[in-house]
Structure formats: structure tokens, C-alpha cells
Amino acid sequence: MRPKPHEVSPLRCRLGLDRLEEREVPASFTLTPVVPTLTAAMTARLSVVLQDGQGRGNHANVFTRAGDSITFANDFLVPLGTPSAATDLSGDGSLSDTLAYFRSGSVGVNNSFTNPSRAARGGWTAADVLQNLPAELTASRPAFVLIMVGTNDIGLGVPADTYRQNLIKIVETAVSAGVVPVLSTIPDIPLYPTAQANIPTFNQIVQDVGETLQVPVWNYWRALQRLPGSGISSDGVHPSVSPNGGGDLTTSGLGFGYNTRNVTALQTLDKLRRVLLLGQEPDSTSLGDAWLPLTSAVTLGTGDTNGFQVQLFDTRTRRTLAFDVFEGFRGTVRVSLGDVNRDGVPDLVAAAGPGGTPHIKVIDGRNGTLLASFFAFDPTYLGGLSVAIGDVNGDGAGDIVVGTAAGTDHIKTFTAAGRLINSFEAFELGFAGGVQVAASDLNRDGYADVVVAAGAGGHGHVVAYSVATNRKLASFYAFGAEYGGSVSIAAGDFDGSGEGQVAVGTSGGTAACVIVYRPLTTEWICGFFAYGAGFQGGVGLSAVTHSGGTELWSVSSTAGTADVRRFDMLGTTKDRFMLYEPGYSRGATFGG
């Protein structure tokens, strides 16, 4: 006999997972622009670093370099140090200005281009650069340091995490000296297939460190991909160079690896000079051509992030796109997907988590443009928000459901333009543990209903309300009233019956259990351990609606990786991927 819903405990959930082959997820560094992006937040931070450096005697028109043989070689930068007939910058006056600017800075008898850096030598690893960088920064007193290292780390078998830690220390060493570090991705190593296989991992680390520490990333690897042989010479390790030398920046010259490196270095320096030294506008946060149309996407908001806040993942193509929504905010972001403008493509709604103002942004899922921006509650409220999308007023467009994540149990619904539809408190007696929200048509009346799960101290209490009729539809305890944690929820027609269901997951400290209910009758459809009976981290849930129906997805929100899975109504894993590298521990929130 099946137990009644209120008798179900996490320990009695059926394990229903199939072991799947791991899938390769495209690394997000492949989408990073060649020339670094300087957002307003990054610009503000780096301007403080430069100001500190000037107080230490650093020179604005001096830069230096750090790395291994590819950086130490005379084909890199040195040809740009003196005028040359082969150098052709006539097509871009700003590059000519930047070239002249950094030629004017003295490092002993040299300028920045010709200076033989103490922080670059053949065969060096990140540990070697870290050891020698302080002496170079003291000697040259630069404003900027161009850093590319990692090829030898791979060749010598340095663990990826060791490389990461050394790269972080390199960045911190530069910043503490008042110098702006610029990290570069590393080129391919076709001579050694085993080493080549590690290039994506190490380049992703470069991007991750740049995002985490908010320093520029120069994607030299991407610039090389359009060149013959990916810009690598016949030795299979070092970049190729034009017969006219590395200073040949003509069209034919830029078909070679070192020449491309020199021009992209100059473009990077030009960007730094214009934005950080001349005060020109930083880059817009518009995503432009990089946007992923959200026809087959899921989205995650990262936890306690220092780099990007939202990660889009296309479940069909496996492409990813990471970006900021609330510039300068470094806390958790809550996300949801749904069609708010009736164009047939899901749109993205994002809300700031704890510590952020109650700010809502609505982004067009077709092209990434901002559709709306508004405050759901008084701007002084900093408890964070939970968001969901559903057509609560029956006009055919998705509306925005917002709940307070801490301090109150206040729920509001808005149109996509930010017009208030209704406002109410979810629980009685002034419950102050916050809420999570979801939305789905539970009673087949053509209107989305609001589902609310109690936060801390709420014992997994779930209620459902009809906004259309202003009445409560359901109330139950997902794991029994004795359950002490909070829960995550998702709502949707998971079984294709035409009637919405509610999925509920545990928050952590007990087995990561998921139960799917028919909320109007509290019938239990299925229950299973999302990540195995031994995993006791939190599980975040999302209803992902595509043309084929609504699917239940989960993310391990407190595990060492963001392990994302899709389930059927037997609890069987139908798809799985790791969105971040092993070791990621900042948590994530899910919005299908």
C-alpha cells in the first residue's frame, strides 16, 4: 500500500537513477572576446588599482610581460618597440596613438616593448612566474602586466588546481603592487596530443580566475583559431611568425601566430589606455551576437559569485553563455524562464538574492535586450527575492511572480512591464522565514496559479493560490510537519495530463529527495533521490518548458559541482551535465 503524502519521509524515497555517460560541455572561454571586455564594475575596480600604483611610483605609459618562452621570445612585442616599415597601422589611428604612447615610457634604456622582463623565461611554469614577478614589477614600475603562462604546467603535469592557485596568486601579486594584470589564454599544443587535451581545462581556469578576481582576459587562443594550423609553427608548440618578422601587421602578416599576438596585444593595451587612462566609456553589458536564443535553454544563477551572475545553457547544442545582470552586485541571483512578450521564445527574468536590492530585470529571450527593469518591493529591502513566471491574468503573456526570500512571506505578481497585479502574504501569523515561488495552472482554468514553499522554519509547508479567484487551492507539508528544513519547488505539467503538478526537493542536511505531487489532492506521483541516497547537499528544482512539454530538472545547489539533471516521472535520469568544473562550491539557483 502506498504511503500517504504526509507520511513520506526523505529516507523512504525510491532511488531511480540511471548511470549515464558524462557529456562534454563546451567551455565558456571559447566564447570570450579576443580583446578584453571592461565593464563599468571592472573599470571602477581597476581604476582604484591604477591610482594605488601611481602612489607607489608606477608609470602609466609602461607595461611589462610575464610568462614562458612564447612570452620571452623576441618575436613578441620587441618588433613593435621601434618604427618599422613592415608595421602597418594606417587603418587604425587609435592603435598608432597607443603604440606611440607606450614607446614613450622608459624602462631603463628600453621601452615597454623592448624591455627584457625578469618575469618571462623559456620553460617557466606559473610557479616560476609567481616567484619572479615581484622583482620585475619593482624594476619596471608598470601600470599593466600581460600574463600568459600554462603551456609548461600542462607539459610537466602540474595539477589543474595547483595551476589555478598559482594564477590567482600571480593576479593578487600584481594588484597588491598597484599593477593591472591582464590574463591571456594559451595556444594549442598540437605536437603533444595528451597535453593538447588539457588546453580547454587550463584556458577555462584562465577565464574563471579573470571572472572571479575581476581582471581582464585576453583570449589569444580564440584569435588563433582562424589561422592556418591554429597559428602554430611546424614545431607544434610555438606560434608561427611572418617571414617579415613579428612586426608585420599587414593583412598577410596577420596570418601568423606571433603577428596576431602582437596586434591583439596592442589592441588590448589600446582598450586599457582608452578606458582606464583616458576615461572613455566602458563596454556595454549588452550581449549582442553572443546571445543564446532561449528556445531550448536552461538558466542558472550562481551563488556568491565574483565573476558572472547568470549562466545560460542550451540543452540541444551544449553552448553556454555567462554574463552579469546586476552590475557590481556579487551575491546570488535568482532566475526564471517564460514567454512574457508572446513571441514564442522564453524570456529571462532575474532578481537579486540576499544582500541586493529587490531589483527585477526582464531580458528578451530572442536577442538579449532589456525589456523591463523595476523594484518589486521597497528599495531598502535587502533580503533577496524568489521569482517565477506564469500567466496569472489570462492574457496569454507570462507574468512575474515575486516572493521575499527572507524576513517576510510577501508575494506579488506583476506584468512583464512591472505593473502590479496583486499582493498577498502566503502564510498566517506573520511567518518571517521567506518563501520560494513557482507557477503553473493547477486546476485547468486557463490561469497560472501561484505555488509557495515556506523558507527557514517553515517545515516544508507548501501552499497554492489562484490569483484569478483570490483563493487558496492547496496546503500541505511536503515531507511531513516534522521536517525541519526548507524546500525548493518547481511547478508544471510534467506528466502531460493538462494539470499542473508540484515538485518539491530538500534543502540539505538530509538525503537529496524529490517528490512530485498533484497538489489539489496531495497525491504522490513519484519520489526519488536526485543524487543518490548518500548525497545530503541541497537540490534546486526547475520546470523547463519546451515545445515537447514540461520537464523536471535539478541542480545540486551545495555540492562541489553544479550537477544538472533531467528526470522523467519514474525518477529516471534522462540527461545530465556538469555546468562548472569540479571544485565549484558557490552553489547555484535554477530557472527553467
Side-chain angles (χ1 to χ4, degrees):
M1 179 177 179
R2 173 174 289 182
K4 295 179 181 179
H6 67 272
E7 295 175 342
V8 175
S9 72
L11 297 180
R12 300 184 65 178
C13 293
R14 182 181 62 83
L15 177 62
L17 300 182
D18 290 341
R19 185 176 297 277
L20 295 183
E21 179 182 353
E22 293 290 341
R23 297 194 178 186
E24 188 71 24
V25 180
S28 60
F29 84 88
T30 62
L31 304 177
T32 300
V34 174
V35 177
T37 298
L38 299 180
T39 65
M42 184 186 292
T43 297
R45 178 179 185 272
L46 298 181
S47 295
V48 172
V49 174
L50 287 177
Q51 184 177 8
D52 176 55
Q54 289 177 355
R56 297 166 179 263
N58 294 347
H59 306 292
N61 60 350
V62 171
F63 71 88
T64 190
R65 47 183 156 159
D68 53 31
S69 60
I70 299 177
T71 295
F72 180 66
N74 284 333
D75 289 316
F76 178 50
L77 295 177
V78 175
L80 303 181
T82 55
S84 169
T87 301
D88 179 10
L89 297 176
S90 59
D92 194 331
S94 65
L95 290 183
S96 295
D97 291 344
T98 296
L99 188 65
Y101 179 77
F102 286 107
R103 280 177 179 169
S104 69
S106 298
V107 186
V109 297
N110 300 294
N111 59 36
S112 298
F113 298 101
T114 59
N115 176 50
S117 172
R118 293 169 172 81
R121 288 292 183 276
W124 275 10
T125 65
D128 297 313
V129 170
L130 177 61
Q131 181 179 353
N132 290 276
L133 183 59
E136 171 59 23
L137 300 182
T138 299
S140 60
R141 292 293 176 188
F144 310 99
V145 54
L146 307 180
I147 302 162
M148 190 183 84
V149 67
T151 299
N152 293 305
D153 292 79
I154 293 175
L156 294 172
V158 174
D161 191 59
T162 300
Y163 172 72
R164 181 195 301 272
Q165 295 306 316
N166 284 332
L167 199 61
I168 289 172
K169 291 175 183 176
I170 288 171
V171 170
E172 292 173 341
T173 297
V175 170
S176 65
V179 178
V180 171
V182 180
L183 298 178
S184 170
T185 53
I186 58 179
D188 290 326
I189 320 172
L191 180 64
Y192 303 109
T194 301
Q196 173 62 31
N198 286 311
I199 290 291
T201 297
F202 276 64
N203 274 338
Q204 189 61 48
I205 289 172
V206 172
Q207 163 132 341
D208 291 346
V209 171
E211 289 174 339
T212 300
L213 300 183
Q214 282 289 277
V215 298
V217 174
W218 161 28
N219 199 353
Y220 178 48
W221 176 91
R222 184 174 181 178
L224 293 176
Q225 299 311 297
R226 64 178 180 81
L227 305 183
S230 295
I232 304 301
S233 68
S234 58
D235 70 8
V237 177
H238 298 91
S240 57
V241 63
S242 164
N244 295 323
D248 181 2
L249 305 187
T250 62
T251 300
S252 60
L254 293 179
F256 296 88
Y258 266 120
N259 304 68
T260 294
R261 190 173 187 208
N262 284 330
V263 76
T264 55
L266 198 55
Q267 290 169 337
T268 296
L269 290 166
D270 178 66
K271 180 77 162 287
L272 296 169
R273 185 180 72 91
R274 287 187 294 104
V275 176
L276 298 180
L277 299 180
L278 299 182
Q280 294 185 14
E281 287 295 318
D283 291 304
S284 167
T285 55
S286 172
L287 298 169
D289 294 338
W291 182 254
L292 299 177
L294 303 183
T295 52
S296 57
V298 295
T299 182
L300 286 93
T302 63
D304 190 23
T305 174
N306 289 296
F308 55 85
Q309 299 164 342
V310 173
Q311 181 99 337
L312 297 176
F313 182 86
D314 191 307
T315 59
R316 180 178 54 84
T317 66
R318 300 320 220 196
R319 279 187 61 200
T320 62
L321 177 64
F323 61 99
D324 276 354
V325 177
F326 302 103
E327 193 166 316
F329 176 60
R330 296 271 72 86
T332 305
V333 172
R334 309 294 168 81
V335 288
S336 186
L337 294 180
D339 186 5
V340 303
N341 57 2
R342 291 182 282 196
D343 66 352
V345 177
D347 306 299
L348 171 67
V349 173
T357 58
H359 197 176
I360 299 289
K361 286 192 176 182
V362 185
I363 298 172
D364 194 319
R366 188 177 295 276
N367 54 29
T369 60
L370 186 67
L371 294 177
S373 176
F374 61 93
F375 285 93
F377 297 93
D378 189 290
T380 59
Y381 173 74
L382 302 178
L385 304 176
S386 173
V387 290
I389 300 174
D391 181 12
V392 301
N393 60 6
D395 65 356
D399 303 304
I400 302 169
V401 182
V402 184
T404 52
T408 73
D409 59 346
H410 200 165
I411 308 294
K412 289 185 179 181
T413 58
F414 298 89
T415 67
R419 180 178 60 82
L420 182 67
I421 299 174
N422 78 333
S423 174
F424 60 94
E425 292 182 351
F427 301 100
E428 300 173 355
L429 303 176
F431 178 69
V435 297
Q436 286 201 43
V437 295
S440 183
D441 184 359
L442 304 180
N443 55 3
R444 305 191 198 190
D445 65 353
Y447 297 85
D449 304 302
V450 175
V451 183
V452 185
H459 301 283
H461 193 184
V462 178
V463 295
Y465 292 91
S466 167
V467 174
T469 62
N470 195 30
R471 67 185 181 92
K472 185 184 293 186
L473 300 177
S475 175
F476 60 94
Y477 289 89
F479 300 104
E482 72 282 0
Y483 173 72
S486 57
V487 297
S488 62
I489 57 169
D493 182 11
F494 302 118
D495 65 359
S497 65
E499 180 180 81
Q501 299 97 48
V502 174
V504 186
T506 54
S507 61
T510 186
C513 182
V514 175
I515 301 178
V516 182
Y517 287 95
R518 299 191 191 281
L520 302 187
T521 62
T522 62
E523 176 189 355
W524 180 48
I525 299 175
C526 69
F528 54 91
F529 294 119
Y531 298 95
F535 174 71
Q536 296 194 355
V539 53
L541 297 174
S542 181
V544 180
T545 302
H546 300 309
S547 57
T550 302
E551 303 165 338
L552 178 62
W553 289 71
S554 74
V555 60
S556 51
S557 57
T558 59
T561 59
D563 185 344
V564 180
R565 304 188 183 192
R566 174 170 62 90
F567 303 98
D568 64 15
M569 285 300 95
L570 296 176
T572 304
T573 302
K574 307 302 292 184
D575 198 1
R576 178 188 179 188
F577 55 87
M578 303 289 185
L579 195 57
Y580 307 115
E581 293 183 31
Y584 176 88
S585 59
R586 294 196 298 268
T589 60
F590 207 171

